[in-house]
Structures are given as structure tokens and as C-alpha cells.
Amino acid sequence: MARRRQSVTIKHVAADAGVSLQTVSRVINNEANVRPAMKKRVQESIDRLGYVPSIAAQRMSGSRSYLILALNDRDRTIEDWRAREGRDWVDQMLLGGMLKCAEYGYRLIFELVDTHSDHVQRELRAAIAALQPDGVVLTPPHSDNTLITDVLEEEGIRFARIGSRKNGGHIAITMGDDKLAAMATQHLIDKGHERIGFIAGPDEYAVSGWRKDGWEESMSAAGYEVEGLCVRGDWTYASGEKAARDLLGAADRPTAIIASNDQMALATNAVAHALGMAVPGDISIISFDNSPVTRFVQPALTAVDQPVARTVSTAVELLIKAQRGEDMPEMPVVIPGTLVERQSVSAPRSKG
Amino acid sequence: MARRRQSVTIKHVAADAGVSLQTVSRVINNEANVRPAMKKRVQESIDRLGYVPSIAAQRMSGSRSYLILALNDRDRTIEDWRAREGRDWVDQMLLGGMLKCAEYGYRLIFELVDTHSDHVQRELRAAIAALQPDGVVLTPPHSDNTLITDVLEEEGIRFARIGSRKNGGHIAITMGDDKLAAMATQHLIDKGHERIGFIAGPDEYAVSGWRKDGWEESMSAAGYEVEGLCVRGDWTYASGEKAARDLLGAADRPTAIIASNDQMALATNAVAHALGMAVPGDISIISFDNSPVTRFVQPALTAVDQPVARTVSTAVELLIKAQRGEDMPEMPVVIPGTLVERQSVSAPRSKG
DNA sequence: ATGAAAGCGCTAACAT
DNA sequence: ATGTTAGCGCTTTCAT
């Protein structure tokens, strides 16, 4: 196929408007020092010719690439895609990230990186060299991975960390996990529960700790015991099964369980049924994430919704605005989630 | 933030290896006329310095952009994302497309376009001017939209149409929709059904017609009537409800229904329940697509699985290979789907 | 406020 | 088989 060239370039516009390339460039980039009349004339040529700048050329000449890179964990993402269980984290990221990028004339490039491989750094440097993104959105567990953030700092690329509170010179955004967990716990306490179990996520994820903190906070504020009521999982269904068996097999078992994600909540629900316990009659369940599956399971799960789309959208917007010279927020930004009530919570059975 | 420059460029590698830029370029692009020893020396420098070519520069110099554009319908995609009902078409596209691109050092850019707006062409030209993609993957209903294909032909950009049989000079890939529909119909016939209803998709989608053809083919091969057994929907749940009411409210109603997508099948299931009919006892159902929700509904739906990931993966691979000079397939490529049996099909009740 | 010239990192075309 | 030159489309100096 023939060597493809830009059909309409800045030169064509300049010729059409009878001005220099520079003036056209100034108009494109909305710079100062262009008289309104001149600007109008150039803009008309742009519109008439249907001119759109080549981002390759813009990037080449050392300015912006108009590309935002969204980094996700390769294994977990591919596993979710293959499982086809309706987890829509990626879709929500795209919904928030792509649309916000489009608003500003940027594009979101979704990229997978191996968190645990020893060549994360190489992979990342390669992506940066190839694309020269104007900003990077980091999702857990990348958000606090210093292997990654070190590279980005070295390369001088702005980044936003989702699910992180480390904002030194960078953007940090959380969904208020501790407050959400506290809210979920309080919701159960209000229903009359006193023994509320908690299935935590893996340590590698900062959000795991915050969610646990929130649960503990509400429990101790109410004067309830937490000892022996927390089990750690690793987000997987299997780990949720094991955790649920531990909690529900105990002599003084809880009357409610909060699971740190949907998979583990689903597993808890299944284990309860397997043990002949009614949900929510014998055991109430609240899950985190609120992916589509929470609505399809029996009973539909009460869940803490994570506003992924709004969070990523905000991250992208802050990155773009920072590039335009606006200040980045000093403190971690919180995009709070909400509790979505469904059928997996009721008052505990009155004690015989 | 400081003007960012490539940290390691082809110049550094050339200097390090003591050769000309051109030789490095030849090694990068795996071209002929480089002695093995020289190639090895250059490759070592590349590895040592961690050099990765800038795709912006590669594109600028008139060669490849290493970008493949995947075009989807904006409204439908955003609606799916917002609905959060577990439809994973986009995820399966990414699974197939991104991973295949990565294999060849390309990147997939996922882009939304308004099919029905009068400025599709402007939108598309803008995307092409900005990104200069090496190939475009078209999904229904874009695949047969001449507004879109005309622009691509004008710009000289190779494209692959998914769900299209129009391959004149381009790549066409289907999932064998007619055969799949025929297979689903035959499956019901084998179970003893004679009156099998069909809910078709909108005309705008070529696949709608093929699926209907397959149903008709199996029906007439078995010598069964199709008159009054086909109703057209528009993919939505609401249209499926209406279609199902039409079919199930008739005097001589069908004992089985094939719906052309999951949403309409779900609606059919709900309508059957509302009318006091048992599924599959009174009415068997088969759906198309096999998105996650088919497994979560009661009863789990027998469905025709659409191998979206494999299809997109193939599309991308053919585009890349074509760019490398390999021939494009003359005929439409078929990536056949399969029938996934679940609980929504049984033999019809014996006639009283 | 506008223009001219230099250069970004790379490859195509043409040397040798 | 390797090197040299020109130029892709744009922005950044630096002039005017």
C-alpha cells in the first residue's frame, strides 16, 4: 500500500489563509498574540479544509502527545475477561476515562502491565518511549508500586494513582474506602447485628487495609468485639470460600459478613447455602464493588458501589488540567461510593 | 513541566554501536541487507540502552504508526456501560484485539463513533488525521456503512469488517451466523419442536438477516411452517418483550423461541413467566451472543456463543499481515460460534 | 502581532 | 552491505 501522507496539513491551512505556519499553530493551540480577525480567518480555513493536526507531528516537535495511558494489571484483567463473569471494572474505566479524554481532545490508551514480573520497568519504559503519554493513570495494585512510580518520576511523566493516598507531587484518588466500610458496618449494626465478620483483601492493595480499618472503627465505636472476626482473602472466589468456611464454621459465628469484593461475597453466599444457612435470615452479607453479578445472584447482594467511572474521569481531568498549568490537588481526592441496598441484609435472628 | 525528549534515540544506539542510523533502523525493522554480526552488535546496543523506537517518529517518517483503530457504535456502547448488565462485547474485543496487537508490537485504540450522525465522516477523518492508524476494525453496524468505508478507501486505509460479507479488496469476517441459527433451530427440532418462533434483529445489521435465514433454512428443510413465527425486534429488552408477547399471545403459539440476542431472550423469558408459562416446560428458549447474563438468569439460557475475541484477534492479525505484504483472504473468513447448552431447552410438552 | 529557521526521531531514496 | 541526504508535520526558538 502506498506511503500515506497527511491529506491536509498545517501548510495547506497556512496557504489557504495566507498566513505563516506559525500563526496557524498559534490558533490551533489557542495561544496569545493572535488578533481576533486573524484567528477567525485561520479558523475558517481549518474548518473548510477539515484540518486536524497529526498527533505524531505534535508529539515530535516536543509538545504534547494527547495520549493518556491507563495501566492495569495484566493477569487479573485477562483473567476477568476470560472468566466472562460480568466484572466490568475495565468498562467503567473506559466509560469514565475515554469520554473525559475525548472532551479535551485527548485519547486514552489502555495498557496491561505485569505487576509481579521483574521487567515491569522495562515494559513501562517501552510503553513510554513508544507513546510518550502526557499522563498515566495507575490502578491498584500498581498505584503504590514504587518500581512503577520511580520510572514515571524519572521520565518526568505526571501520574494519578487510583486507590492510593500517596500524593507527594502527584495526584491521588480514593473512593473513601474506610468510610464506606464503616458505613456498611454501621448499616448492619443498625439492623441489630453485633457479631459482624470481615473478609479482607490482600495486603498488596492499600484499599484492603482501609476497608478493614473502617469496619474496625464502626465495630469499636459500637463497643463490639472484632477478635477472630477478620479473615484475609486474595480477592478470588476460592479464597472467599475458605474465609467464609472459617468464619461460619466457628462456634460463635457472626450473624453478618462484609466481604471486600464481590467474588468473595459470592463465595460467602454459596458457602452459607451449602451449610444450610439462609441468606439473609441466618447470615447477612454485604459486598464491595457492586459489579453486575451482585444483581443476578440469589439473593441479590447489598453492595458498596465503587464509582470507578467517576474516579477515572476525575483522574484524567486532573492530569489534563495539570498539563495546562493548573495546580494539582494537594490532598488525596475522594470520590465517595454509596451503599446499594438489595436483599442480602436483614435483622439477625433473635437469639434462642 | 519540562519539554520531554526521548531519553534514548536511534542516534544513541548508532553512536554506541558505531554504525549509521540507517543500519540501526534496518535492524529495528528486521530488514534484509544487514550482516548477522552487524545485526548482533546493533541489537546488543539496543538492549543495553533499552532503546524503543518512538512511534510518533516512525509514523512521521511516513511508515507505520503501529496503531490499529477499533471502531464501535458510540450510543450502544455507552448505553451498555451505563446499564452495567454484564454485556462484555467490548471486553472480548479488547481481549482478542489488544493481545494480538501486542504480539506484533502494535497497539489497539478503541474509538467510539456516532453511526447515525451526519458527521460520521468528519469524526472519522479527524481520528484518521490525528492517529494515522495502520488498519481499522469495523464492528456492526459500522461494518457495512458506506459513509465509513468510503472514507477509509479514500484515505487508503486497510480495514476489516466484522459481521460483514462484503470483502471486495478488504477483509470480511463473520461468525457463521446463518449456520449457527440453523444449528440452534435443528437443536430444537431434534428435541421434537415443530413450531419454533424467531425474534429477529434490526435490518440495519447484516447479521440479523443471516440469522433469520438460518432459522428458515432449518425449518423448511424439516418441512415446518415459518409463517407468522418471525417478529422483528431492535436488540433492546423492550422490543424483545413486545415480540415475545406477539408470539406467545397467538392462538397457535410456538413451543420454542430463538431470540437474535441475549436482551431479547431475557425479555422472552420474563414474558413467559409473566404469562404463567414454564421455561423450558412450556416454552424453550435459545439466545444469541452468550454474554455473562445468560448464566445468571433463571433458568440459565441455552445460547449461541459468539467468539468475539477470536474474531477480533483474527481481524487484527489479517490487517497486520496485509501491511507486511501478505495476501488478504479473498473470501469472507468465518470464525464459527458454538451452541452452549444450558437449562432453557427441553422437549415440547406432548400435545393434549 | 507575525514570520523564518531550526530541529524533534525516524525512514525512504539514493548513494557508495 | 552500509552510509548519506532529505523530509515527514509540527512547535520551538528567535527575528522583525
Side-chain angles (χ1 to χ4, degrees):
Chain A
M1 201 166 266
R3 179 183 148 95
R4 241 185 307 105
R5 279 224 185 59
Q6 214 82 348
S7 44
V8 182
T9 74
I10 197 169
K11 277 189 192 169
H12 298 99
V13 177
D16 185 84
V19 298
S20 73
L21 306 188
Q22 197 41 44
T23 303
V24 179
S25 174
R26 288 190 179 106
V27 172
I28 297 166
N29 296 295
N30 225 330
E31 280 171 27
N33 293 345
V34 184
R35 247 188 291 257
M38 172 103 309
K39 180 166 178 172
K40 182 159 173 292
R41 179 147 63 102
V42 172
Q43 190 59 54
E44 279 169 6
S45 290
I46 290 177
D47 294 342
R48 175 148 20 88
L49 301 177
Y51 167 71
V52 177
S54 148
I55 67 171
Q58 293 190 123
R59 160 60 199 116
M60 276 302 295
S61 54
S63 77
R64 284 166 275 255
S65 67
Y66 294 100
L67 259 25
I68 302 284
L69 198 59
L71 249 41
N72 273 56
D73 186 55
R74 174 175 286 130
D75 292 342
R76 255 172 67 80
T77 303
I78 293 180
E79 198 181 303
D80 277 3
W81 284 342
R82 294 233 164 95
R84 301 201 66 178
E85 281 165 3
R87 268 157 270 166
D88 65 347
W89 162 274
V90 171
D91 302 73
Q92 296 303 307
M93 275 200 77
L94 294 178
L95 174 57
M98 283 186 54
L99 299 190
K100 184 56 75 180
C101 276
E103 270 181 41
Y104 288 92
Y106 283 63
R107 260 168 190 97
L108 190 76
I109 304 220
F110 186 83
E111 186 100 356
L112 301 176
V113 183
D114 266 329
T115 316
H116 300 108
S117 113
D118 50 338
H119 46 256
V120 214
Q121 299 205 324
R122 199 158 12 108
E123 270 191 26
L124 182 54
R125 279 188 212 278
I128 292 171
L131 300 167
Q132 292 286 345
D134 289 342
V136 175
V137 177
L138 257 31
T139 58
H142 297 322
S143 303
D144 291 324
N145 184 336
T146 50
L147 287 177
I148 290 178
T149 53
D150 283 354
V151 170
L152 293 174
E153 285 185 338
E154 262 179 52
E155 304 269 354
I157 297 184
R158 253 182 288 265
F159 56 91
R161 311 157 114 144
I162 293 187
S164 169
R165 287 176 179 162
K166 300 187 182 163
N167 67 320
H170 303 285
I171 296 162
I173 308 192
T174 79
M175 311 191 193
D177 297 80
D178 48 350
K179 295 275 173 277
L180 292 172
M183 183 200 301
T185 309
Q186 190 60 49
H187 178 68
L188 291 167
I189 291 173
D190 291 346
K191 294 277 183 185
H193 292 271
E194 300 185 359
R195 287 190 65 75
I196 301 171
F198 190 84
I199 304 180
D203 275 331
E204 186 187 5
Y205 290 70
V207 295
S208 298
W210 304 334
R211 291 177 190 175
K212 181 165 178 249
D213 292 347
W215 163 71
E216 280 178 350
E217 186 189 306
S218 280
M219 289 295 274
S220 60
Y224 299 150
E225 190 62 57
V226 296
E227 197 62 33
L229 285 172
C230 177
V231 182
R232 191 169 294 281
D234 64 5
W235 301 136
T236 65
Y237 189 93
S239 77
E241 270 185 315
K242 189 175 175 311
R245 277 187 205 289
D246 285 359
L247 286 170
L248 296 177
D252 196 5
R253 70 186 182 202
T255 60
I257 290 180
I258 298 175
S260 292
N261 79 338
D262 289 332
Q263 293 306 299
M264 300 195 294
L266 251 41
T268 303
N269 185 51
V271 167
H273 285 295
L275 294 176
M277 303 170 70
V279 178
D282 296 312
I283 178 87
S284 289
I285 299 178
I286 295 184
S287 81
F288 254 88
D289 283 358
N290 192 36
S291 59
V293 67
T294 53
R295 278 182 290 168
F296 297 128
V297 73
Q298 281 296 330
L301 299 181
T302 290
V304 174
D305 180 65
Q306 302 279 104
V308 176
R310 275 195 298 137
T311 302
V312 175
S313 166
T314 305
V316 165
E317 185 156 43
L318 291 171
L319 285 170
I320 294 175
K321 287 189 167 169
Q323 169 155 280
R324 298 180 162 200
E326 292 190 28
D327 289 338
M328 296 200 280
E330 300 275 324
M331 301 293 297
V333 176
V334 179
I335 309 289
T338 50
L339 185 69
V340 180
E341 295 189 43
R342 297 203 182 88
Q343 283 83 53
S344 63
V345 171
S346 70
R349 280 206 209 292
S350 51
K351 295 147 195 171
Chain B
M1 203 166 267
R3 178 185 150 95
R4 243 184 304 106
R5 279 226 186 60
Q6 213 83 347
S7 43
V8 182
T9 74
I10 197 169
K11 278 190 191 168
H12 298 99
V13 177
D16 184 86
V19 299
S20 73
L21 303 188
Q22 197 44 42
T23 303
V24 178
S25 174
R26 287 191 179 106
V27 172
I28 297 167
N29 296 295
N30 225 331
E31 281 170 26
N33 293 344
V34 183
R35 245 190 291 257
M38 173 100 305
K39 180 167 179 172
K40 183 160 172 290
R41 178 145 64 102
V42 172
Q43 190 58 54
E44 278 168 7
S45 290
I46 289 176
D47 294 343
R48 175 147 20 88
L49 300 178
Y51 167 72
V52 177
S54 149
I55 68 169
Q58 293 190 124
R59 160 61 199 117
M60 277 303 296
S61 56
S63 75
R64 285 164 274 254
S65 68
Y66 294 100
L67 260 25
I68 303 283
L69 199 59
L71 249 40
N72 274 58
D73 186 55
R74 173 176 286 129
D75 291 343
R76 253 171 71 79
T77 304
I78 292 179
E79 199 182 302
D80 276 4
W81 285 342
R82 292 235 164 94
R84 300 200 66 177
E85 282 167 3
R87 268 157 269 165
D88 65 348
W89 162 274
V90 172
D91 302 73
Q92 295 303 307
M93 275 199 78
L94 294 178
L95 174 57
M98 282 186 54
L99 299 191
K100 184 55 75 181
C101 276
E103 270 181 41
Y104 288 92
Y106 283 63
R107 259 164 191 99
L108 190 77
I109 304 219
F110 186 83
E111 187 100 356
L112 300 176
V113 183
D114 266 329
T115 315
H116 300 110
S117 114
D118 51 338
H119 45 257
V120 214
Q121 300 205 324
R122 198 156 13 106
E123 271 191 26
L124 183 54
R125 280 187 211 279
I128 291 170
L131 300 167
Q132 292 285 344
D134 289 343
V136 175
V137 177
L138 256 30
T139 58
H142 296 322
S143 304
D144 291 324
N145 185 334
T146 50
L147 288 178
I148 290 178
T149 53
D150 284 353
V151 170
L152 294 174
E153 284 185 339
E154 260 179 52
E155 304 270 352
I157 296 185
R158 252 182 288 264
F159 56 91
R161 312 158 114 144
I162 293 188
S164 171
R165 287 177 181 162
K166 301 188 181 159
N167 67 321
H170 302 285
I171 296 163
I173 308 193
T174 79
M175 310 193 194
D177 297 80
D178 48 351
K179 295 276 172 277
L180 292 172
M183 184 202 302
T185 309
Q186 191 59 51
H187 178 69
L188 291 167
I189 291 173
D190 290 346
K191 293 276 183 187
H193 292 272
E194 300 185 0
R195 285 190 67 73
I196 301 171
F198 190 83
I199 304 180
D203 275 332
E204 184 187 6
Y205 290 70
V207 295
S208 299
W210 304 335
R211 291 177 189 174
K212 180 163 178 256
D213 292 346
W215 163 72
E216 280 178 350
E217 186 191 306
S218 280
M219 289 295 274
S220 60
Y224 299 150
E225 190 62 58
V226 297
E227 197 63 32
L229 284 173
C230 177
V231 182
R232 192 169 295 282
D234 65 4
W235 300 136
T236 66
Y237 188 93
S239 76
E241 268 185 315
K242 189 174 174 313
R245 277 187 206 288
D246 284 358
L247 286 170
L248 296 178
D252 197 5
R253 70 188 183 202
T255 60
I257 290 180
I258 298 176
S260 292
N261 80 337
D262 289 332
Q263 294 306 299
M264 300 194 295
L266 251 40
T268 303
N269 185 51
V271 166
H273 285 295
L275 294 177
M277 302 170 71
V279 178
D282 296 312
I283 178 87
S284 289
I285 299 176
I286 296 185
S287 80
F288 254 88
D289 283 359
N290 192 34
S291 60
V293 68
T294 53
R295 280 182 289 167
F296 297 128
V297 74
Q298 279 298 329
L301 299 182
T302 290
V304 174
D305 180 65
Q306 301 281 102
V308 176
R310 274 193 300 137
T311 302
V312 176
S313 166
T314 304
V316 165
E317 185 156 43
L318 290 171
L319 285 170
I320 294 175
K321 287 189 168 171
Q323 170 156 277
R324 299 181 162 202
E326 293 190 28
D327 288 338
M328 294 201 280
E330 300 275 324
M331 301 293 295
V333 176
V334 179
I335 309 288
T338 50
L339 184 70
V340 180
E341 295 189 44
R342 297 204 182 88
Q343 282 83 54
S344 62
V345 171
S346 70
R349 275 206 211 293
S350 51
K351 295 145 194 172

